[in-house]
């Protein structure tokens, strides 16, 4: 029995020794962890609610900008320029839990001079519990850090370069970088120019909540969705970079020979003038001169709206009539001269006195293609300055509508392969290509197919 007892005693003693060793190691680790915690705590420069600041003050060498937060909106105390809301919020977020990555020990005059902290940038963050002040010096030789000091602390620290860089005083960072000071619902008028002449002018009517072109385009349907999509994009644009302020020499950025111009007006009576030039060395980008002063950099594609014509905003496929709403029609073009009565409810139509059965899929498709080819006008452009006379029309289609009334479409030959489009005796301001009438997938081709299947002479 002794051997088991002795073995048990040995195990107990061994366990006790292990516990003792464990406690000794644990005590050592606890001390090290505590030291680490204290070191980490010492490197926490600020700790506050990022939504609580009410004032941000940026200063260096006598230049000072004070941004104040009222009801969630940041404004410059002097009102000199609008403030970048995102930038101010980022400053609050960055500094609210700002931690140093290095501690260089106690502040001395030698260190202040060595680290560029003898003439620092200063940021003051004011919140209900007090004001936090940080001084920012030079960037480290490795460009990984910025050297800083904090009021109330006796040491010199280093913070990560990204955080330090946004704390350096830069008026262009503080300024609002949005292209326009409007939302989509604040726009009243957008006018673009080319070579000093109006390229396109769109005006918003608050009562009808619709956009419109000048009255000479009244015969054309404006695509409201297209207008909204285009303007919804431009009100969201922000500069990729901020360049010169208060530009004196237009030729420096090519504004003496602009790529585009625009004047955007708000419903509040204000306006913003934009002058655009393409960066010749890097055409992906362009420069925008805002209100004759601030030069900003954008993607050239984002300024494409300054090149758009009224044609780009209209409904380019004009539907004169739809077969299910038509009781009869007449068509004259080239060697086509027909009159037709429609009874689509019973899948029938009568063409020049001959009844045609549309009950078969082949016949119906042939008729539908033919009807659409003479009733859908694919506009290729607009020319409201043209003064075509309605005579010797080469194409005439007249539709009798079930709801009452008629719709008459006529085409008059214009220059080259263009035909001016008339509706009910009035010039629409638009033209179509000859390809609508002849060639593949044209009126002529679809009529030949329909005539053959219908057995029409």
């Amino acid at each position: 029995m002794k051997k088991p007892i002795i073995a048990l005693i040995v195990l107990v003693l061994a366990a006790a020794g292990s516990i003792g060793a464990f406690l000794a190691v644990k005590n050592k680790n606890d001390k090290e962890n505590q030291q680490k915690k204290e070191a980490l705590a010492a490197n926490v420069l600020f700790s506050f609610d990022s939504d609580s600041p009410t004032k941000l003050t940026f200063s260096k060498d006598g230049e000072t900008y004070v941004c104040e937060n009222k009801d969630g909106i940041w404004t410059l105390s002097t009102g000199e320029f609008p403030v970048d809301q995102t930038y101010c919020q980022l400053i609050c977020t960055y500094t609210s839990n700002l931690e140093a990555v290095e501690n260089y020990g106690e502040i001395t005059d030698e260190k202040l001079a060595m680290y560029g902290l003898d003439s620092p940038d200063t940021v003051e963050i004011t919140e209900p519990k007090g004001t936090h002040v940080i001084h920012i010096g030079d960037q480290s030789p490795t460009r990984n850090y910025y050297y800083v000091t904090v009021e109330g602390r006796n040491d010199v620290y280093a913070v990560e370069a990204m955080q330090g860089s946004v704390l350096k005083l830069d008026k262009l960072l503080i300024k609002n970088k949005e292209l326009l000071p409007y939302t989509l619902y604040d726009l009243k008028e957008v006018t673009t120019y080319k070579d000093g002449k109006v390229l396109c002018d769109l005006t918003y009517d608050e009562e009808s909540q619709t956009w419109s072109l000048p009255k000479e385009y009244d015969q054309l349907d404006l695509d409201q969705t297209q207008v909204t999509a285009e303007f919804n994009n431009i009100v969201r644009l922000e500069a990729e970079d901020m360049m010169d302020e208060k530009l004196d020499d237009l030729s420096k950025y090519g504004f003496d020979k602009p790529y585009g111009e625009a004047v955007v007006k708000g419903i509040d009576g204000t306006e913003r003038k934009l002058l655009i030039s393409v960066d010749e060395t890097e055409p992906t980008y362009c420069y925008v001169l805002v209100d004759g002063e601030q030069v900003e950099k954008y993607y050239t594609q984002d300024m494409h709206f300054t090149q758009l014509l009224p044609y780009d905003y209209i409904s380019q496929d004009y539907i004169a009539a739809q077969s299910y709403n038509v009781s009869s029609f007449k068509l004259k073009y080239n060697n086509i001269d027909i009159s037709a009565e429609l009874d689509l409810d019973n899948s029938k139509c009568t063409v020049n006195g001959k009844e045609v059965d549309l009950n078969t899929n082949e016949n119906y498709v042939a008729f539908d293609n033919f009807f659409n080819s003479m009733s859908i006008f694919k506009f290729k452009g607009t020319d409201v300055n043209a003064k075509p006379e309605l005579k010797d029309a080469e194409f005439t289609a007249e539709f009798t509508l079930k709801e009452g009334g008629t719709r008459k479409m006529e085409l008059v030959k214009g220059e080259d392969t263009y035909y001016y489009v008339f509706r009910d005796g009035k010039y629409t301001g638009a033209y179509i290509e000859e390809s609508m009438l002849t060639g593949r997938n044209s009126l002529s081709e679809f009529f030949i197919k329909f005539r053959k299947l219908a057995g029409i002479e």
Side-chain angles (χ1 to χ4, degrees):
M1 294 292 294
K2 280 187 177 181
K3 289 183 178 181
I5 293 173
I6 292 172
L8 181 59
I9 292 172
V10 170
L11 290 173
V12 170
L13 291 174
S18 297
I19 292 171
F22 168 75
L23 292 174
V25 171
K26 182 177 183 301
N27 186 49
K28 180 181 178 182
N29 289 341
D30 286 346
K31 288 182 179 179
E32 290 178 352
N33 289 337
Q34 182 61 31
Q35 290 173 347
K36 288 180 181 178
K37 287 181 180 179
E38 291 175 357
L40 289 172
N43 282 354
V44 176
L45 304 183
F46 298 136
S47 181
F48 57 84
D49 181 357
S50 62
D51 293 325
S52 64
T54 56
K55 183 168 71 172
L56 298 173
T57 304
F58 304 87
S59 59
K60 181 179 174 63
D61 298 334
E63 184 179 6
T64 301
Y65 298 97
V66 179
C67 300
E68 299 172 328
N69 189 330
K70 296 180 180 179
D71 299 323
I73 302 297
W74 290 95
T75 57
L76 199 67
S77 61
T78 62
E80 179 184 351
F81 53 79
V83 169
D84 188 325
Q85 302 297 311
T86 301
Y87 175 69
C88 288
Q89 188 54 55
L90 284 175
I91 292 296
C92 297
T93 301
Y94 284 158
T95 56
S96 66
N97 58 357
L98 186 62
E99 294 185 13
V101 292
E102 293 288 346
N103 185 322
Y104 293 96
E106 190 173 350
I107 296 172
T108 64
D109 290 341
E110 182 181 2
K111 288 180 181 178
L112 291 178
M114 180 187 303
Y115 297 130
L117 288 161
D118 51 348
S119 180
D121 297 72
T122 299
V123 178
E124 301 174 35
I125 306 101
T126 301
E127 47 109 3
K129 295 181 180 179
T131 298
H132 311 278
V133 182
I134 183 170
H135 305 289
I136 306 95
D138 293 340
Q139 193 172 19
S140 67
T142 60
R143 308 186 71 82
N144 293 328
Y145 312 118
Y146 273 89
Y147 304 109
V148 303
T149 58
V150 174
E151 287 198 7
R153 300 287 189 98
N154 297 321
D155 293 340
V156 175
Y157 302 93
V159 297
E160 291 184 356
M162 183 181 71
Q163 293 172 317
S165 64
V166 298
L167 296 174
K168 300 284 282 185
L169 176 60
D170 187 339
K171 180 180 179 180
L172 298 183
L173 283 178
I174 301 172
K175 290 184 72 172
N176 190 314
K177 298 163 193 62
E178 294 176 343
L179 177 68
L180 300 173
Y182 312 114
T183 68
L184 178 64
Y185 307 103
D186 297 326
L187 295 177
K188 176 62 178 177
E189 185 177 7
V190 178
T191 308
T192 54
Y193 300 85
K194 194 73 171 181
D195 300 326
K197 298 179 180 179
V198 173
L199 192 66
C200 185
D201 183 28
L202 287 157
T203 304
Y204 185 72
D205 181 72
E206 294 181 67
E207 185 175 346
S208 64
Q209 297 185 349
T210 57
W211 288 90
S212 64
L213 288 163
K215 61 180 181 180
E216 54 263 37
Y217 293 92
D218 283 352
Q219 293 293 313
L220 300 171
D221 295 328
L222 191 64
D223 187 340
Q224 299 292 327
T225 301
Q226 177 63 27
V227 177
T228 300
E230 192 66 43
F231 291 170
N232 194 43
N233 176 56
I234 65 174
V235 297
R236 297 170 183 267
L237 292 176
E238 291 190 2
E240 297 297 314
D241 200 357
M242 304 288 275
M243 316 301 285
D244 291 21
E245 187 179 31
K246 299 187 183 301
L247 182 70
D248 294 323
D249 182 7
L250 292 179
S251 65
K252 179 178 180 180
Y253 290 96
F255 293 125
D256 54 331
K257 298 177 181 178
Y259 165 75
E261 299 179 60
V263 175
V264 182
K265 297 180 180 180
I267 57 177
D268 59 357
T270 62
E271 68 177 33
R272 172 149 292 183
K273 296 180 179 180
L274 308 173
L275 200 61
I276 299 95
S277 69
V278 175
D279 186 342
E280 294 182 357
T281 61
E282 197 174 1
T284 302
Y285 294 99
C286 68
Y287 299 111
V288 179
L289 180 62
V290 179
D291 290 334
E293 295 188 347
Q294 179 67 56
V295 181
E296 302 175 358
K297 192 174 184 178
Y298 290 84
Y299 285 107
T300 302
Q301 182 59 37
D302 288 336
M303 293 298 115
H304 180 61
F305 79 96
T306 62
Q307 307 301 301
L308 297 181
L309 301 167
Y311 170 75
D312 296 301
Y313 293 106
I314 66 169
S315 299
Q316 296 172 8
D317 288 353
Y318 174 69
I319 302 175
Q322 294 175 308
S323 58
Y324 59 82
N325 282 333
V326 171
S327 59
S328 65
F329 68 85
K330 295 177 182 179
L331 172 64
K332 287 185 180 182
Y333 168 67
N334 205 1
N335 62 345
I336 304 173
D337 187 356
I338 61 174
S339 296
E341 302 288 332
L342 300 185
D343 183 11
L344 296 186
D345 291 338
N346 294 305
S347 301
K348 292 180 181 180
C349 74
T350 301
V351 180
N352 290 349
K354 178 179 174 56
E355 188 172 295
V356 179
D357 185 5
L358 302 180
N359 212 27
T360 68
N361 184 65
E362 188 176 22
N363 280 6
Y364 180 79
V365 170
F367 165 78
D368 194 51
N369 287 337
F370 164 58
F371 186 90
N372 289 338
S373 71
M374 68 171 173
S375 62
I376 299 178
F377 295 76
K378 296 182 180 297
F379 297 149
K380 289 299 181 181
T382 62
D383 186 357
V384 295
N385 294 318
K387 304 296 181 184
E389 294 183 35
L390 183 52
K391 64 179 183 178
D392 302 324
E394 295 195 17
F395 167 101
T396 301
E398 187 170 2
F399 306 91
T400 301
L401 307 177
K402 288 182 178 180
E403 60 190 22
T406 60
R407 172 66 43 79
K408 189 175 184 179
M409 304 298 297
E410 294 167 283
L411 299 177
V412 173
K413 188 72 171 68
E415 296 180 0
D416 300 322
T417 58
Y418 295 150
Y419 284 80
Y420 294 115
V421 182
F422 285 78
R423 179 178 60 202
D424 296 331
K426 293 182 179 179
Y427 173 49
T428 62
Y431 54 84
I432 58 109
E433 271 276 7
E434 190 176 43
S435 56
M436 171 184 167
L437 303 174
T438 62
R440 184 159 180 77
N441 294 326
S442 67
L443 168 65
S444 297
E445 180 183 8
F446 286 126
F447 177 69
I448 291 171
K449 291 181 179 179
F450 174 64
R451 182 179 63 182
K452 182 178 179 180
L453 287 171
I456 303 170
E457 295 296 332

